[in-house]
């Protein structure tokens, strides 16, 4: 006589009655007749509600914000080392990118006053609140730096604003990583360790690309160096994130935009550091490749995150792994 027991983890077992065999008296013997069930979803339905964000707005906001912050930092370095052409390219490029980034953000919010309403409070635990105040501190300085450089008015104030924007620039370039990782979207949330480095590298490569594209050839040496550094950091961070996330990295690995972004960034950085030293046309082509590569990376990260939110496996599997790890740690105690 036997009976079937269904356990809490979903596995079904057939338990036999006590068997009076030598050496096993008084013990129950169990045979697993049904494989352990693996639940990846609830009838295939998404576990998370997919964000309503649109790629042109939010992915564009991520790319342009990173470009603006890193360009201001590169412009400050160029200003302090006597490279006016590179400094002007960074200042004007940063202001234009900032304007595009704010437009994309406000377009996603729906009404401009929603951005102003976020200035009513300051919450250290909210990446959106912190980011709003970072933009508020950065925007006027970036605007003043570009205006003074183009018009030649108040050069002292313009120089101070350039340095100020350059100091805030790294925060502008990377706070968006904390912003998306603070969501429940699996590919973003689980990638919180590497995402700031990936965004920093992508933004740095884009700023270097802008410098190669717009600055005189004889002043573009810092742009070439930061482009190489940014492309290397971006690719290493992306590789480490994909390896650490395991199965959750599948949307990232499948993203053609991410692969294209990596290829363009590396090709642009290498071309800028070699043939871009001697040829203005080659330097401009390398700069355009770096900018396109950074944009592809941001759009690829955005699309991979949205894909992971749609598929319930990427929500359930990490939770199961964490539960299994916690159980194993308890068993070892």
């Amino acid at each position: 006589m036997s009976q079937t027991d269904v356990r809490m983890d979903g596995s079904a077992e057939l338990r036999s009655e006590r068997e009076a065999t030598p050496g096993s008296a008084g013990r129950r013997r169990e045979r697993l007749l049904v494989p352990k069930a693996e639940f990846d979803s609830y009838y295939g339905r998404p576990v998370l509600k997919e964000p309503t964000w649109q790629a042109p707005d939010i992915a564009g906001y991520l790319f342009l914000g990173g470009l603006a912050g890193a360009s201001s930092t590169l412009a400050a370095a160029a200003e302090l080392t006597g490279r006016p052409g590179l400094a002007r390219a960074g200042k004007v490029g940063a202001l234009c990118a900032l304007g595009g980034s704010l437009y994309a953000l406000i377009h996603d919010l729906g009404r401009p006053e929603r951005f102003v309403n976020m200035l009513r409070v300051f919450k250290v635990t909210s990446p959106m609140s912190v980011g709003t105040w970072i933009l508020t501190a950065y925007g006027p300085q970036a605007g003043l730096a570009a205006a003074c450089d183009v018009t030649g008015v108040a050069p002292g104030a313009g120089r101070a604003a350039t340095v100020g924007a350059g100091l805030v620039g790294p925060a502008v370039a990377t706070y968006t990583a904390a912003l998306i990782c603070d969501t429940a979207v699996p590919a973003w949330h689980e990638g919180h360790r590497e995402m700031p480095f990936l965004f920093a590298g992508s933004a740095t490569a884009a700023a270097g690309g802008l410098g190669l594209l717009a600055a005189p050839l004889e002043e573009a040496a810092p742009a070439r160096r930061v482009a190489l550094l940014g492309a290397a950091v971006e690719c290493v961070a992306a590789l480490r994130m994909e390896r650490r996330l395991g199965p959750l990295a599948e949307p990232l690995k499948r993203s053609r935009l991410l692969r294209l972004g990596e290829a363009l960034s590396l090709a642009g950085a290498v071309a800028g550091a070699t043939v871009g030293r001697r040829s203005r046309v080659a330097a401009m082509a390398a700069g355009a490749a770096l900018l396109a590569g950074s944009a592809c990376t941001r759009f690829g990260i955005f699309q991979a995150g949205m894909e992971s939110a749609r598929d319930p496996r990427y929500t359930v599997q990490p939770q199961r792994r964490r539960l299994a790890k916690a159980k194993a740690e308890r068993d070892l105690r």
Side-chain angles (χ1 to χ4, degrees), residues 249-329:
E250 291 173 0
L252 298 169
K253 294 178 179 178
R254 286 196 298 264
S255 174
R256 294 181 179 179
L257 280 174
L258 280 175
R259 302 288 81 82
L260 178 61
E262 291 174 359
L264 286 171
S265 295
L266 288 175
V270 172
T274 53
V275 293
R277 292 174 176 270
R278 301 178 299 274
S279 169
R280 176 69 179 142
V281 174
M284 294 177 67
L290 286 162
L291 286 166
S294 179
C296 288
T297 295
R298 303 306 178 99
F299 277 78
I301 289 290
F302 178 83
Q303 291 184 357
M306 300 297 275
E307 180 183 343
S308 72
R310 285 191 294 267
D311 193 330
R313 289 181 303 157
Y314 301 124
T315 302
V316 175
Q317 289 178 354
Q319 293 176 350
R320 292 179 66 88
R321 286 195 296 269
R322 284 193 292 267
L323 289 173
K325 182 179 178 181
K327 183 179 182 300
E329 291 175 351

Side-chain angles (χ1 to χ4, degrees), residues 34-112:
V34 180
K36 184 176 180 180
E38 292 291 341
F39 297 107
D40 288 331
S41 69
Y42 181 75
Y43 296 104
R45 298 177 65 85
V47 177
L48 297 177
K49 183 178 180 181
E50 185 179 347
T52 59
W53 297 339
Q54 299 299 314
D57 290 334
I58 299 304
Y61 164 66
L62 300 179
F63 164 64
L64 292 172
L67 173 61
S71 294
S72 286
T73 302
L74 180 60
E79 179 85 13
L80 296 175
T81 55
R83 294 179 172 87
L86 179 59
R88 174 171 293 183
K91 295 174 192 178
V92 175
L95 181 60
C96 293
L98 176 64
S101 177
L102 289 175
Y103 172 80
L105 175 61
I106 293 173
H107 186 265
D108 178 75
L109 292 173
R111 296 196 303 269

Side-chain angles (χ1 to χ4, degrees), residues 16-292:
S16 64
E17 295 293 340
R18 295 176 184 267
E19 296 184 6
T21 56
S24 63
R27 289 183 295 175
R28 292 180 183 272
R29 298 179 62 190
E30 299 178 355
R31 283 192 305 154
L32 186 63
L33 299 184
V34 180
K36 184 176 180 180
E38 292 291 341
F39 297 107
D40 288 331
S41 69
Y42 181 75
Y43 296 104
R45 298 177 65 85
V47 177
L48 297 177
K49 183 178 180 181
E50 185 179 347
T52 59
W53 297 339
Q54 299 299 314
D57 290 334
I58 299 304
Y61 164 66
L62 300 179
F63 164 64
L64 292 172
L67 173 61
S71 294
S72 286
T73 302
L74 180 60
E79 179 85 13
L80 296 175
T81 55
R83 294 179 172 87
L86 179 59
R88 174 171 293 183
K91 295 174 192 178
V92 175
L95 181 60
C96 293
L98 176 64
S101 177
L102 289 175
Y103 172 80
L105 175 61
I106 293 173
H107 186 265
D108 178 75
L109 292 173
R111 296 196 303 269
E113 57 267 25
R114 289 181 175 176
F115 180 84
V116 178
N117 289 339
M118 290 189 289
L119 298 175
R120 295 179 177 180
V121 295
F122 177 75
K123 294 178 62 177
V124 180
T125 56
S126 170
M128 177 61 78
S129 177
V130 174
T132 301
W133 283 100
I134 288 175
L135 289 176
T136 302
Y138 168 77
Q141 296 187 88
L144 180 61
C148 291
D149 190 282
V150 171
T151 62
V153 177
R159 188 180 182 88
T162 300
V163 174
L167 292 175
V168 185
V172 176
T174 55
Y175 89 89
T176 49
L179 179 64
I180 65 171
C181 290
D182 194 47
T183 66
V185 175
W188 299 341
H189 183 76
E190 297 295 328
H192 65 276
R193 296 181 186 176
E194 297 85 6
M195 198 71 76
F197 296 98
L198 193 156
F199 274 37
S202 177
T204 302
L210 179 63
L212 289 172
L213 186 64
L217 198 62
E218 60 274 11
E219 297 184 12
R224 291 192 291 266
R225 289 193 289 269
V226 300
L228 273 174
L229 175 63
V233 170
E234 175 188 341
C235 292
V236 170
L239 180 61
R240 286 180 62 89
M241 182 168 65
E242 290 177 2
R243 287 181 176 178
R244 185 177 63 82
L245 294 185
L248 184 54
E250 291 173 0
L252 298 169
K253 294 178 179 178
R254 286 196 298 264
S255 174
R256 294 181 179 179
L257 280 174
L258 280 175
R259 302 288 81 82
L260 178 61
E262 291 174 359
L264 286 171
S265 295
L266 288 175
V270 172
T274 53
V275 293
R277 292 174 176 270
R278 301 178 299 274
S279 169
R280 176 69 179 142
V281 174
M284 294 177 67
L290 286 162
L291 286 166

